[in-house]
Amino acid sequence: MKSINLKVVVISCFIFTNSLLSFGQDEFLSRSEAIALTLNNNYGIAIADNNVLVSENNADLLNSGYLPTVFGLAGMNYTVEDQRTDRDDGESFVLEGAQSESYNASVNLDYTLFDGLGRLYNFKRLKESYNLSKLEARETIENTMLQLFSVYFEVARLTENVEILEQTLEISKNRVKRAGYQFDYGQNTKLEVLNAEVDVTNDSINLMNTRQSLLNTKRDLNVVLARDLKLNFNVDTLVSFIPKLELESFLEMAKENNVRLLQSNSNIALSEYDIRISKAQFLPTVGLTGSYGWNESISPASAFFTGSTRQNTGFQGGLNLRWNLFDGGSSITQLKNAKILKDNQILLKQQIEIEVQRDIANALGNYENLIAVYNIQEQNVVTNKNNFERSRERFNLGQITSIEFRQAQINLINAETNKNLAKYEAKLAELQLLQQVGQLLNIQF
């Protein structure tokens, strides 16, 4: 299975619901589109996916040590030398510039028949390393998803705040007009007009600042999506929460799905393979060798023999055994250290289990608290809307001052913006809880 499938499986959960519009126009960026763009474009995810590909290549049969080694050899030697041979009868034979030549070529094979099962456990270790790399990639994707929605929800919050401030500014502008008419007809003083104009100025500045913050946050989101920073878009401001029963079922399976616990289990398995690989060094290694070769040698004439040419062609095979009876103690030390490292991984898992329990409890507590705050803020908006409408009626009838009306308006603005903040904080807390229970990538956004 290609590592890219890790992303494909996740992307399949999030289908594009709206096509992208041309450059320069505001597009509607749904959550599913944002997720798909992030999975496809984000640099951190791309790097994690490449790491998975490397681990997958390492865990392949070609890197297992189970296949033989086949290699070719070829060579030649050329010698020019002066030879002098003294015979028993007192005569000497001198040969100047005697030339000798030899050529060889062969195809060779080396294969390990048995290495104390070290090859087997090393191959299993590579497979487990591949599984660990997928878990690490999953953790990267989860963290990136939280980063994505943290920025996405901030864009949504600021978008709603802009709408609130636009409505507030429109009300303040109408108030300036009304105050101006009343002043023209002598129904109020210039002070009322000036107060209304000051409120318009403040509302305009607040709107301008919020719009600028919105533009900046949209650029932040484009960075996460790894796309053109100039692209403008609108986001989905509707938020729904997971039913309580479904969330409880996720909590029950948290221990089996939390990515940190799964990584700790994988690290313990790797430590166990390291121990077995170390033990394999105490057993013999049996190897098989074979070759098919050709040799040719050309010898010059000598005092007793004429020059000759000799050729050899044929197969050669052999079986060898190597057993390190004592290697200075390095194998024993390696085995002892491997056992200690496994103990460390077990202790680390116990620590992670406690930390995960704490993180889940904290995430659940934060989520429940923020949901309660959001519900309170919703009711607070209803109350402040009623208060504002009554204050506006009384202000129009001249029963309250502009200062009292403005206070009711500010209270409504604060209530609505606080509700928006509570809504997106609660949703982000829900996603953080889903990450802790290992379900962040398994839900529909």
Side-chain angles (χ1 to χ4, degrees):
M1 172 182 169
K2 297 297 183 184
S3 67
I4 195 67
N5 289 343
L6 180 65
K7 287 200 300 183
V8 173
V9 170
V10 179
I11 294 176
S12 64
C13 298
F14 313 111
I15 305 173
F16 281 103
T17 58
N18 297 284
S19 60
L20 299 180
L21 302 178
S22 60
F23 176 80
Q25 296 178 339
D26 290 358
E27 62 172 289
F28 177 72
L29 182 65
S30 66
R31 297 188 186 106
S32 59
E33 288 176 329
I35 291 170
L37 287 171
T38 302
L39 292 174
N40 283 319
N41 300 337
N42 184 268
Y43 296 113
I45 293 178
I47 292 172
D49 189 60
N50 285 338
N51 291 335
V52 173
L53 288 174
V54 171
S55 295
E56 184 181 20
N57 291 336
N58 289 336
D60 191 77
L61 181 63
L62 296 175
N63 193 46
S64 65
Y66 278 103
L67 300 180
T69 300
V70 180
F71 58 95
L73 292 175
M76 68 165 290
N77 289 305
Y78 179 77
T79 304
V80 179
E81 58 185 1
D82 296 333
Q83 297 179 358
R84 176 186 175 90
T85 304
D86 295 325
R87 297 192 298 190
D88 293 338
D89 57 6
E91 295 184 4
S92 299
F93 179 81
V94 177
L95 180 62
E96 295 181 353
Q99 300 180 6
S100 301
E101 301 175 37
S102 65
Y103 304 90
N104 66 84
S106 64
V107 178
N108 304 272
L109 178 144
D110 284 338
Y111 185 67
T112 301
L113 297 176
F114 178 76
D115 65 346
L117 299 179
R119 177 175 51 183
L120 171 65
Y121 294 125
N122 185 65
F123 187 50
K124 289 184 176 181
R125 191 186 192 286
L126 291 173
K127 290 288 187 181
E128 190 60 42
S129 295
Y130 172 53
N131 293 333
L132 179 59
S133 71
K134 290 193 292 184
L135 291 173
E136 292 171 345
R138 171 187 156 185
E139 185 178 28
T140 299
I141 293 174
E142 288 181 352
N143 292 333
T144 305
M145 288 298 103
L146 285 180
Q147 180 189 12
L148 165 67
F149 280 109
S150 175
V151 183
Y152 187 95
F153 290 150
E154 181 64 10
V155 173
R157 184 184 74 85
L158 291 172
T159 298
E160 290 195 285
N161 285 355
V162 166
E163 294 175 356
I164 293 170
L165 294 176
E166 286 175 344
Q167 295 173 3
T168 300
L169 180 60
E170 187 63 28
I171 292 172
S172 296
K173 287 180 178 180
N174 291 333
R175 183 176 145 217
V176 169
K177 292 180 182 180
R178 181 181 178 85
Y181 292 147
Q182 291 176 338
F183 175 74
D184 292 339
Y185 289 99
Q187 296 180 355
N188 61 19
T189 64
K190 185 64 175 178
L191 181 61
E192 292 291 336
V193 178
L194 294 175
N195 286 336
E197 290 176 348
V198 168
D199 291 338
V200 167
T201 300
N202 291 333
D203 292 342
S204 299
I205 293 174
N206 290 336
L207 179 58
M208 290 173 59
N209 290 336
T210 304
R211 282 175 173 169
Q212 185 59 47
S213 297
L214 177 59
L215 290 175
N216 293 343
T217 309
K218 285 183 177 181
R219 293 189 190 98
D220 292 338
L221 185 56
N222 282 330
V223 170
V224 178
L225 301 177
R227 63 177 190 168
D228 191 348
L229 298 181
K230 297 178 182 178
L231 285 175
N232 198 12
F233 53 88
N234 297 317
V235 298
D236 188 1
T237 58
L238 296 177
V239 169
S240 60
F241 297 96
I242 295 177
K244 185 176 181 180
L245 289 177
E246 185 177 359
L247 195 58
E248 289 176 352
S249 66
F250 292 158
L251 290 169
E252 293 175 357
M253 300 296 294
K255 192 172 183 179
E256 289 78 10
N257 296 320
N258 181 273
V259 69
R260 291 186 63 197
L261 289 176
L262 293 175
Q263 286 176 343
S264 67
N265 290 334
S266 183
N267 283 323
I268 291 175
L270 289 173
S271 299
E272 181 61 35
Y273 289 134
D274 287 337
I275 292 175
R276 296 183 180 184
I277 292 171
S278 298
K279 289 181 177 179
Q281 298 182 46
F282 295 99
L283 297 177
T285 299
V286 180
L288 176 67
T289 61
S291 67
Y292 177 79
W294 166 82
N295 294 276
E296 179 181 270
S297 61
I298 302 175
S299 301
S302 65
F304 303 101
F305 302 99
T306 60
S308 64
T309 300
R310 181 179 179 181
Q311 290 187 354
N312 295 321
T313 303
F315 292 96
Q316 180 181 357
L319 191 67
N320 57 72
L321 180 145
R322 178 184 177 87
W323 197 341
N324 286 334
L325 300 178
F326 184 69
D327 60 356
S330 61
S331 297
I332 297 175
T333 302
Q334 184 177 347
L335 177 59
K336 289 180 178 180
N337 289 339
K339 290 180 178 180
I340 294 173
L341 292 176
K342 180 186 176 181
D343 292 339
N344 284 345
Q345 290 297 333
I346 293 174
L347 293 173
L348 184 60
K349 179 186 177 181
Q350 294 173 353
Q351 178 183 354
I352 291 175
E353 286 178 340
I354 296 175
E355 292 176 351
V356 168
Q357 291 176 3
R358 176 205 62 194
D359 293 341
I360 291 176
N362 290 345
L364 179 61
N366 291 337
Y367 171 68
E368 292 175 341
N369 180 70
L370 289 171
I371 285 290
V373 170
Y374 173 57
N375 292 332
I376 293 173
Q377 293 291 359
E378 277 191 314
Q379 183 58 46
N380 190 39
V381 169
V382 174
T383 302
N384 278 277
K385 278 185 177 180
N386 293 333
N387 179 64
F388 175 73
E389 293 300 331
R390 293 186 180 182
S391 296
R392 180 156 57 179
E393 292 176 0
R394 295 182 64 188
F395 176 72
N396 291 337
L397 295 174
Q399 296 177 351
I400 63 173
T401 65
S402 60
I403 296 177
E404 293 173 312
F405 173 75
R406 179 62 177 175
Q407 187 60 50
Q409 188 181 28
I410 292 174
N411 290 340
L412 178 58
I413 295 172
N414 292 336
E416 290 179 329
T417 55
N418 288 338
K419 186 203 74 171
N420 291 338
L421 179 62
K423 177 173 67 173
Y424 294 113
E425 283 185 341
K427 185 60 181 178
L428 189 59
E430 180 186 78
L431 298 184
Q432 292 170 341
L433 176 59
L434 290 172
Q435 181 192 28
Q436 293 299 328
V437 298
Q439 297 294 335
L440 181 61
L441 304 182
N442 298 329
I443 63 169
Q444 196 77 23
F445 286 90

